[in-house]
Amino acid sequence: MPNRSRAVPESRWIYLGIAVLTIFALAVPARAVAAPALPAPSADKGPVGWDTYRTLDAMERLRPGEQVRQFSSFDRTGGNDDGFNGTYSCLRHEPGGECVIAEAGGPGEISSMWFTYAAGSVAAVGQITVELDGRVVLQGSLQDIVNGAKGAPFVWPLVGNSADTMGGSVIKVPMPYTRSMKIVTQNNPHFYHVTYRQFADADGVRTFNPNDPATDVIQRLRGYGVRDPKPLAPGVRSQETGVTVAPGAVLSLPLPGGPRQVTELTLRLPQVATGPGLFDDGRAYNPGGSSFTAAIDPANQGVRVTRRYDAGIGDQRADVTVDGRPAGQWSSGPAVPGGAWADQTIDVPPPLTAGKSRIRIANAFASSSVDVNEFRYEVHSKIGGQWVLTDVLDVGNDHVTDESAHGYQISGQSWAGLRYFRYPADDAVLADAQAVLDGLRLRIIFDGRTTVDAGVGEFFGSGLGRYSTRTLLSSVDTVDNGAFTSWWPMPYARSATVQLVNTSGVPVSGGSLSVSSAPDGSVAGGLEDGSLGYFHATQHRADTVDGKDWNFLTAQGRGVFYGVTMSMRGLIPPGQNQLNFLEGDEREYADGSQSPQIHGTGTEDFAESGWYFQDARNGGIEGVPYAMPQAGLVSHQNAEAGCQYVCLNSYRLMLADAVAFGDGIEFDIEHGDRSTQPANYSSTAYWYGQNSPSLERSDVVDIGDTASRAGHGYLATGETTAPLTSTFEGKNDRTPVTMTTASSTGPVQFTARVDQANQGLRLRRISDQASSYQRANVYIDGERVGEWLQPLGNTHSRWLEDAFDVPASATRGKSTVTVRLEPVAGAPAWSAARYAVLSQVGPLTPVGGADTGSD
């Protein structure tokens, strides 16, 4: 992303009027429903379409029958021209000049789209058209679509504009197809990512229906950070213990014997102080008032409402009503010179909230030295003697979608804008808090295997201090004794133990740990045969190494990667661009591939933001935090609270676009262009996996080896061969490789060995991608199984390793297959230097239980 100097906040207050979008009403706590049964173990493709969000309790299900791929505008030379001029943004152009940014054949799913053009708008991109199976399912102004103007299901937070994301625009609606997909923009979009899934067959896939509003999914996502997004499992049992852990000590909480599923983990650490400094946008009124609807728990024994405000405005008073009845008064007291953050809480009389699932809160101006301001409201319900966060409303120009979802209204508005202040804080207390967040480690042992080992701060999403965090699967509540909560589903077959290991040097006391789990007989067999994976949280921290990408995860075996929390401590001194470490692209390599399947355009782009997390509506300030269900910036520190220079904490969850792997994964990110910027990084990767692979290499055909050609009965029509010295994209784009490559204008055929117990095959090809849009029909033993289409091209790093999945219906029970590839008329010559044939080996025969040992 742009290499530019960091903007300085303006001192004046800015008002930008933004029309409020009309979208769905406030989500309320979901009705308890039984968890759906897990599918039978098979080499399948995982949940498709809306099931991705409806079956989050089945995230442990592995996905050997799919590949995750990405089209993006990344610089094909390996440099930093990732979209500034749109050089690499169009795969090709339509006859009318429109830009094709994504195209694929066979069954699959568009899982995620991200764009940025200018920091505050993608209007210049013009119209976008999404065509699935030959039918247009989405068409219109890209700006209107990400604004939510199309209506459900294309509404917040399944779409988001640059205010929602601080500079990016997203479409997170999963759109399956059975034969083909194509995405076209009217104009060159400059920066973009399109992440999609490829399936071996169309079983269980139905083409996306844009007329299905998926209101249940929207409701589920709008509760992010305050409610468990999974269906309520029957038989849930909670265990709780006090937390007192001396330095060097370990607290252990054994869970009931399995098979079970951990559904929620809650940690309270009242001694850990809240991070003091933060950006927030808000509004003010004089005269007039504001009102909004908030979700509460119907079993509440009371409700508490907390308002964040700027204490630099003195003598603020506003009367508060709940459902039209008096509930209290906001009263700020004298002004704090220069401004400061402050919170005030009102305990609503219990009779006003008993038995209700939502309430209407109204504030009416009473008096002030200037006006009454409001930046954020948090609503807690008292359950079993504990205050539990049940809703959050973020107010301001950057949160009009959140405001609309809460039915927020304001009258007599006198100001709207962005502020940066600090809460009062003691440096020594903050240092101890950071030490505990880093050094109090959460370790979880499932069936004798330690798969979770991470500092509690980063595990729950806030690695650079205790800051309010809201993701779809975790949250950090910053009120006194507020909860650190995880909703990741965690299955085990026999036993589990949750541990808190205090490596911080600071005594931890006065806290509590609660773990909820439910019986689930369906997980035992899947964990033993490998069709289900154990939950992992893998953390590491170190100084970055010049020229070497930062590694989120390197793992063996089979699994699914679901995302990462990242804490970035920049080490670039003043006088330079101190955010230059953000000029780093993410790259993911599955199953030992030499080419990345995902190749992004910048660190903040990976977090689905843009332009250094810029707030274009409030002065162009960079590094402004935001929260969406699957991506966000949690905190920004600038030479404070233990941060030497500039430090950022971001997260990115990948749900519809989760990355499946069958024989290992490497997921890296650059720290600056070509990984040249100094920093101290920490990251926690979330994934499910097993030690054993689900892909095994059965055979290799080396085109440049005469014996290999003869041994595989290799035949090619119209073939020319030549040596090629070039590089692969990604981490090896400066390492030349020489191989013999063949280009064929007619059919290519060879016979290969496969595992007779296979559940499908994966054909992997190393080719010369100097010519894009190579395509060939694929036949297995004379049966057509699909078209291998590769739109990518690169004349700089010419080597490409890509793959095509063959369904089990064409290969089951066979020990050899004859592969025939017929180039499509009008396409470039079909190129290959080597073919590898991999067998999907499917679930294992149980041999005494799941893998053991520590990762």
Side-chain angles (χ1 to χ4, degrees):
M1 285 301 297
N3 183 354
R4 46 185 291 165
S5 61
R6 184 172 181 273
V8 177
E10 297 183 8
S11 58
R12 62 189 179 90
W13 292 41
I14 303 167
Y15 166 68
L16 295 173
I18 299 179
V20 176
L21 301 175
T22 302
I23 50 182
F24 282 91
L26 174 73
V28 297
R31 178 177 59 88
V33 295
L38 290 177
S42 64
D44 64 12
K45 57 183 67 67
V48 178
W50 295 121
D51 283 348
T52 296
Y53 298 113
R54 289 172 175 151
T55 60
L56 291 173
D57 53 340
M59 294 175 69
E60 63 266 25
R61 172 180 167 186
L62 303 186
R63 306 175 174 189
E66 71 172 51
Q67 300 180 69
V68 171
R69 301 280 180 174
Q70 185 182 80
F71 295 108
S72 81
S73 55
F74 77 93
D75 187 337
R76 281 12 178 208
T77 71
N80 199 38
D81 183 12
D82 291 317
F84 296 99
N85 302 302
T87 308
Y88 307 103
S89 301
C90 302
L91 299 175
R92 64 179 179 86
H93 291 87
E94 296 280 64
E98 298 87 353
C99 176
V100 178
I101 63 171
E103 192 165 13
E109 177 185 281
I110 300 170
S111 301
S112 177
M113 288 186 267
W114 166 88
F115 300 88
T116 194
Y117 194 97
S121 173
V122 290
V125 179
Q127 185 166 272
I128 186 173
T129 301
V130 177
E131 182 182 295
L132 305 178
D133 297 333
R135 180 169 64 94
V136 173
V137 299
L138 179 65
Q139 188 171 56
S141 158
L142 178 59
Q143 186 65 63
D144 287 347
I145 291 169
V146 298
N147 285 347
K150 277 283 185 183
F154 296 96
V155 295
W156 177 84
L158 284 166
V159 301
N161 59 27
S162 58
D164 299 309
T165 67
M166 295 301 108
S169 292
V170 294
I171 301 174
K172 307 296 287 187
V173 174
M175 292 182 265
Y177 50 90
T178 62
R179 299 186 310 277
S180 64
M181 76 87 161
K182 183 171 69 172
I183 304 176
V184 180
T185 57
Q186 181 180 357
N187 302 312
N188 188 308
H190 287 198
F191 297 90
Y192 82 95
H193 305 160
V194 173
T195 308
Y196 66 107
R197 301 160 68 191
Q198 289 184 318
F199 306 142
D201 56 48
D203 291 350
V205 181
R206 288 191 294 180
T207 306
F208 171 70
N209 176 11
N211 297 316
D212 178 0
T215 53
D216 64 313
V217 173
I218 295 167
Q219 174 179 308
R220 189 183 305 271
L221 295 183
R222 286 186 176 176
Y224 69 100
V226 295
R227 286 186 292 282
D228 186 347
K230 307 185 303 296
L232 180 63
V236 173
R237 173 183 171 187
S238 295
Q239 296 169 265
E240 185 168 338
T241 183
V243 172
T244 298
V245 196
V250 178
L251 172 70
S252 294
L253 179 62
L255 303 186
R260 298 179 72 87
Q261 179 103 257
V262 173
T263 61
E264 181 174 301
L265 191 153
T266 301
L267 178 65
R268 294 178 187 268
L269 297 170
Q271 77 184 78
V272 176
T274 297
L278 53 88
F279 285 100
D280 200 0
D281 65 328
R283 303 185 187 277
Y285 50 84
N286 178 13
S290 66
S291 62
F292 61 95
T293 298
I296 61 175
D297 193 305
N300 75 84
Q301 300 150 336
V303 168
R304 176 172 285 176
V305 183
T306 302
R307 174 185 69 129
R308 175 185 293 161
Y309 65 96
D310 170 16
I313 305 299
D315 304 318
Q316 301 178 48
R317 291 194 303 117
D319 296 321
V320 181
T321 61
V322 170
D323 292 335
R325 300 172 64 184
Q329 185 181 72
W330 302 121
S331 181
S332 69
V336 175
W341 291 128
D343 292 340
Q344 185 178 3
T345 294
I346 289 177
D347 286 343
V348 178
L352 301 187
T353 62
K356 296 180 179 180
S357 60
R358 65 174 67 188
I359 54 176
R360 185 74 183 174
I361 300 168
N363 310 294
F365 179 88
S367 64
S368 173
S369 63
V370 179
D371 49 23
V372 174
N373 61 68
E374 53 192 12
F375 289 78
R376 178 183 173 96
Y377 288 97
E378 296 179 343
V379 180
H380 290 76
S381 298
K382 194 172 188 179
I383 306 295
Q386 292 276 21
W387 289 106
V388 178
L389 185 66
T390 51
D391 211 346
V392 175
L393 167 62
D394 225 329
V395 174
N397 290 328
D398 289 326
H399 298 95
V400 294
T401 46
D402 194 2
E403 291 177 339
S404 183
H406 286 84
Y408 175 82
Q409 296 178 344
I410 187 169
S411 62
Q413 179 169 287
S414 55
W415 171 86
L418 179 75
R419 291 304 243 171
Y420 179 88
F421 292 123
R422 290 173 59 88
Y423 285 98
D426 179 271
D427 287 345
V429 172
L430 290 175
D432 283 353
Q434 187 62 58
V436 171
L437 294 174
D438 289 340
L440 183 63
R441 300 192 69 81
L442 175 68
R443 290 181 183 162
I444 309 182
I445 304 163
F446 295 114
D447 296 333
R449 229 180 132 197
T450 301
T451 64
V452 174
D453 188 355
V456 295
E458 201 167 86
F459 175 83
F460 289 100
S462 189
L464 294 177
R466 183 176 178 177
Y467 290 92
S468 178
T469 307
R470 285 193 297 151
T471 85
L472 190 63
L473 290 164
S474 65
S475 71
V476 176
D477 182 3
T478 55
V479 301
D480 289 344
N481 205 30
F484 296 68
T485 305
S486 163
W487 294 293
W488 290 96
M490 307 178 192
Y492 59 95
R494 299 181 302 279
S495 65
T497 300
V498 178
Q499 295 183 335
L500 292 173
V501 183
N502 190 355
T503 68
S504 71
V506 177
V508 176
S509 62
S512 63
L513 171 66
S514 176
V515 181
S516 298
S517 64
D520 190 344
S522 67
V523 302
L527 289 170
E528 292 203 357
D529 69 24
S531 59
L532 304 181
Y534 286 94
F535 175 73
H536 293 66
T538 303
Q539 182 188 40
H540 74 289
R541 177 177 175 178
D543 288 340
T544 57
V545 177
D546 188 50
K548 182 178 180 181
D549 294 357
W550 178 259
N551 179 243
F552 288 145
L553 178 68
T554 295
Q556 304 305 312
R558 65 182 77 185
V560 185
F561 178 94
Y562 276 106
V564 64
T565 295
M566 190 174 182
S567 304
M568 299 165 278
R569 298 167 172 88
L571 297 177
I572 304 172
Q576 307 174 56
N577 177 6
Q578 291 186 283
L579 288 174
N580 214 15
F581 57 84
L582 294 175
E583 302 289 344
D585 304 343
E586 75 277 12
R587 282 96 71 103
E588 173 269 324
Y589 311 83
D591 309 321
S593 174
Q594 297 180 79
S595 296
Q597 286 74 49
I598 289 176
H599 195 312
T601 57
T603 303
E604 76 273 37
D605 304 356
F606 178 55
E608 300 192 320
S609 179
W611 307 97
Y612 291 177
F613 303 102
Q614 185 177 137
D615 184 352
R617 285 161 178 75
N618 291 297
I621 311 303
E622 294 169 350
V624 176
Y626 70 99
M628 288 281 277
Q630 298 184 65
L633 181 67
V634 174
S635 62
H636 172 187
Q637 297 170 344
N638 193 359
E640 59 181 333
C643 173
Q644 182 177 5
Y645 296 125
V646 178
C647 303
L648 301 174
N649 177 191
S650 66
Y651 63 91
R652 169 69 191 279
L653 301 184
M654 304 171 73
L655 298 181
D657 51 345
V659 180
F661 56 95
D663 188 17
I665 187 174
E666 179 182 342
F667 207 134
D668 304 326
I669 193 166
E670 296 177 299
H671 45 98
D673 182 17
R674 293 193 178 275
S675 290
T676 56
Q677 299 303 311
N680 179 275
Y681 275 12
S682 180
S683 60
T684 296
Y686 310 103
W687 57 289
Y688 293 83
Q690 293 273 8
N691 291 341
S692 55
S694 61
L695 275 178
E696 291 185 352
R697 178 169 292 191
S698 299
D699 212 341
V700 174
V701 183
D702 188 340
I703 307 303
D705 184 278
T706 302
S708 180
R709 290 169 68 108
H712 292 90
Y714 181 87
L715 300 171
T717 303
E719 180 187 66
T720 59
T721 61
L724 172 64
T725 299
S726 190
T727 58
F728 289 89
E729 296 163 348
K731 64 180 179 179
N732 293 320
D733 66 359
R734 292 186 174 183
T735 306
V737 175
T738 300
M739 288 184 283
T740 297
T741 183
S743 296
S744 304
T745 58
V748 174
Q749 182 172 301
F750 57 87
T751 298
R753 298 180 300 277
V754 300
D755 190 313
Q756 193 166 4
N758 77 82
Q759 296 188 15
L761 304 178
R762 180 163 294 168
L763 306 179
R764 178 177 284 170
R765 171 186 65 143
I766 295 178
S767 67
D768 177 3
Q769 60 170 333
S771 296
S772 61
Y773 273 91
Q774 297 178 35
R775 56 199 308 170
N777 288 308
V778 182
Y779 295 83
I780 300 293
D781 294 331
E783 175 190 353
R784 185 180 184 275
V785 293
E787 181 184 88
W788 194 336
L789 168 63
Q790 182 49 269
L792 296 176
N794 190 338
T795 57
H796 184 272
S797 288
R798 290 172 59 175
W799 289 124
L800 174 69
E801 190 164 18
D802 66 342
F804 177 89
D805 280 345
V806 178
S809 59
T811 64
R812 188 178 290 116
K814 298 178 179 180
S815 58
T816 62
V817 295
T818 297
V819 179
R820 183 176 175 87
L821 305 166
E822 295 187 357
V824 173
W830 183 257
S831 167
R834 183 179 300 161
Y835 293 97
V837 180
L838 297 94
S839 297
Q840 296 278 9
V841 296
L844 305 175
T845 301
V847 287
D851 293 332
T852 60
S854 176
D855 282 355

